[in-house]
Amino acid sequence: MAEKPIISIEKVIKNYPVGGKEFRALKDITLSINKGEFAGIVGPSGSGKTTLLNIIGSLDVPTQGEAHVLDKNIAELSHNEAAKLRNYNIGFIFQVFNLLPVYTVFENVEFALLLQKNTVEQRRKAVYDALEWVGLQDHANKRPDKLSGGESQRVAIARAMVKRPKILLADEPTANLDSENAHGILKTMKMLNKELQTTFLFSTHDEKVMGYLDRTIHLRDGALEKDIIENKTTSV
Amino acid sequence: MKLALKLAFKNLWGAGTRTVLNVLVLSFSFVIIILLNSIMDGWDQQAQKDSIVWEFGEGHLLHKQYDPLDSFTILDGHGPIPKNQLGITPILVYQATIYPQGRMKGIVLKGIDSNQTILELPIEKVKTSEAKFPVIIGKRLAESAKLNKGDEVQIRWRDKNGTYDANTLTIVDVFDSNVPNIDNGQIWMDIKTLWKMTDLNQEASFFVADKNYKAEALPLWRFKSQEALLKQLKDLINQKKTGQAIIYLLLMAIALLAVFDTQILSIFRRQKEIGTYIALGMTRSRVVRLFTIEGSMYSILALIVGSIYGIPFFMYLAQVGFAVPPADQKMGIAIAEVIFPIYGIKLVLSTILLVVISATIVSYLPARKIAKLNPVLALKGKQQ
Ligand SMILES: Nc1ncnc2c1ncn2[C@@H]1O[C@H](COP(=O)(O)OP(=O)(O)OP(=O)(O)O)[C@@H](O)[C@H]1O
Ligand SMILES: [Mg+2]
């Protein structure tokens, strides 16, 4: 299968200005991820996981090097093009859920579709499909503050998946969940990965998450340390 | 736009008390602006009507040397009544001094034909009086000189040769007019009586024109049309309006400040939400628009809330009128004891536009900042 990688990172460097100096958060990262992978960036706190995920998600741009996502050079996208890429093709899941508090579960999930051109009926169906994937059909009219942590993260998954994105980026999705809920949402995501062929990319240092991953990309101090694909270690 | 409206409404609804407060303050601005201006407009219209029937008629034909605003011009500002000029009622103005209760008081005598019909002035009352010098005065002079109907008062004046003369006036009527210009410091009598007193037979200082008047070039006289006379009145009322504008502009400034403040605070507190919108694929300019619409929505809600309590109040006021405090009655402009406000379409629409546009501007200014926000930091909830 010589398909083009869905994500391809080449010699990416990311510097942050800190106290007049430049702090290098990513050091010459090169890697590629293929369609349908269930992969994770792992590493200790401060190793650059979120930074890398944000660049892939077009929320940030590399200082040097190139990041191509779905054949698009992240650094060359305009604000509007990046917004469109995220709206149609990239789903985000955050550690702290980030549900919109004044909207119901249904409305939270519906949100991304409102930015697209869909009919009310199409949206309704898509939202209920997504809620069914995460087992929350009966909670559609609740407000986020009435949900447990596990339920909130499920809503976040439904919200990210409702538009059937090509890529789902999950930044420490289990960090605020107990073990049972963590396993629950991981199973759900694994299922969605199989069913919808969505490419999943996690950032995590949670052992539970790593148990589900087909591939772990290890970062340390902003550098790629090792890349383990289904127990085959690729040295860097 | 529809999405933004829906989101804005939900967010405002979710904000609770703060929304209620902003909307209330803003709705006060609406109501006060309309209230004050409608009263001024009602006053304006009433004053115009009163001034026409009591003072202006269809215009004034003034002696070239006579200036109603300058009492020094009274002495020379009169001349013979022009022959063959139709549609004018002559008025002769003359200075004199009266001595009510022994106090000295300078006044202006005004003589007018006692058969005139152009002005509302009840000068015909002098015709039925037996007194030698029957006169009428307005309620304002009556009050300030403590004179009542039936009273007699000593008067002294100089005839045209400068010789002092004295006699006794009899007040046969005190009239009640909203127009202070024909009342304050003035005593009205039959022009024939005044001609006799002053030896200025067939002379006048100015004329009040009626519908039959046709403008003709007269060397001694200049015509001031009704519009020109009303314009002075309008200017005075507009001046007052400007003064009042300070009151509601201040109130509006407070309301807008509250909206502005809420916007700043909500952008500060809702960083994560903004980051989430962007992560979900909203463009930054769309988020700016969302927050701007949220702010201008305050003015829309204020309009609705203001209508709920404002419209019944305005309707009530249109029925009973607005009682003018006695102090305001002493101003130099025609003013009634009760003013009935006038709610013009122009007033209402321009008020709505003023409030909605300014609320939108103060909402947009802080929201602009969102366009420069770094979504990564916003998602972390970091203040930027
Ligand atoms: N905006 C920024 N300005 C300056 N330094 C930053 C910024 N964002 C991240 N960093 C730094 O870059 C490094 C990598 O940060 P990043 O958030 O990517 O780490 P992480 O691996 O996600 O850590 P964690 O597991 O704690 O989330 C850290 O040392 C962090 O302090
Ligand atoms: Mg992180």
Side-chain angles (χ1 to χ4, degrees), chain A residues 16-18 23 25 44-51 172 205, chain B residues 377 380:
Chain A
Y16 288 119
V18 176
F23 172 78
S45 184
S47 55
K49 305 184 294 291
T50 299
T51 304
E172 316 217 18
H205 45 223
Chain B
L377 294 182
K380 283 185 185 158

Side-chain angles (χ1 to χ4, degrees), chain B residues 93-257:
Chain B
V93 182
Y94 210 82
Q95 278 187 304
T97 311
I98 55 169
Y99 297 87
Q101 283 110 37
R103 286 182 299 120
M104 190 170 94
K105 189 172 168 64
I107 52 100
V108 169
L109 288 172
K110 280 188 173 170
I112 188 168
D113 184 356
S114 55
N115 293 316
Q116 66 86 28
T117 49
I118 175 74
L119 298 183
E120 204 110 300
L121 205 70
I123 191 70
E124 69 282 356
K125 297 252 166 78
V126 301
K127 286 195 293 189
T128 49
S129 169
E130 313 261 274
K132 191 165 176 230
F133 288 105
V135 298
I136 60 169
I137 60 172
K139 61 177 179 185
R140 291 172 187 79
L141 177 63
E143 196 197 318
S144 68
K146 299 203 168 54
L147 290 171
N148 295 309
K149 187 172 168 176
D151 284 359
E152 295 195 329
V153 62
Q154 290 303 115
I155 181 166
R156 235 158 80 99
W157 73 97
R158 287 166 178 233
D159 68 15
K160 75 169 183 187
N161 304 316
T163 319
Y164 274 107
D165 214 336
N167 222 308
T168 306
L169 303 179
T170 308
I171 291 153
V172 297
D173 194 37
V174 174
F175 62 85
D176 182 354
S177 164
N178 293 328
V179 183
N181 264 352
I182 55 143
D183 175 342
N184 277 331
Q186 295 172 41
I187 294 178
W188 290 85
M189 57 172 62
D190 191 328
I191 194 165
K192 292 190 193 86
T193 317
L194 191 55
W195 281 339
K196 256 182 247 148
M197 283 167 69
T198 57
D199 214 5
L200 292 171
N201 204 23
Q202 293 299 318
E203 294 212 12
S205 307
F206 71 98
F207 303 86
V208 181
D210 57 45
K211 293 259 191 287
N212 297 322
Y213 172 77
K214 293 221 172 48
E216 260 174 72
L218 295 165
L220 264 183
W221 307 89
R222 67 194 158 91
F223 185 64
K224 223 170 165 182
S225 66
Q226 189 190 70
E227 296 86 81
L229 292 167
L230 285 174
K231 192 181 170 300
Q232 289 182 336
L233 189 77
K234 269 207 166 79
D235 288 350
L236 270 167
I237 289 181
N238 279 338
Q239 242 175 42
K240 267 244 140 204
K241 266 187 166 173
T242 315
Q244 276 198 342
I246 293 173
I247 299 175
Y248 59 75
L249 287 181
L250 217 65
L251 186 70
M252 215 171 84
I254 293 170
L256 292 177
L257 206 68

Side-chain angles (χ1 to χ4, degrees), chain A residues 67-83:
Chain A
H68 287 265
V69 176
L70 291 160
D71 282 333
K72 292 196 167 66
N73 186 341
I74 292 299
E76 286 173 357
L77 295 179
S78 68
H79 275 329
N80 287 358
E81 288 165 341

Side-chain angles (χ1 to χ4, degrees), chain A residues 79 86-87 102-103 107, chain B residues 7 10-11 277-278 280 284:
Chain A
H79 275 329
R86 289 190 296 271
N87 186 211
V102 297
Y103 308 114
E107 289 161 340
Chain B
L7 294 182
K10 283 204 172 282
N11 280 320
Y277 286 136
I278 293 174
L280 285 169
R284 270 162 247 233

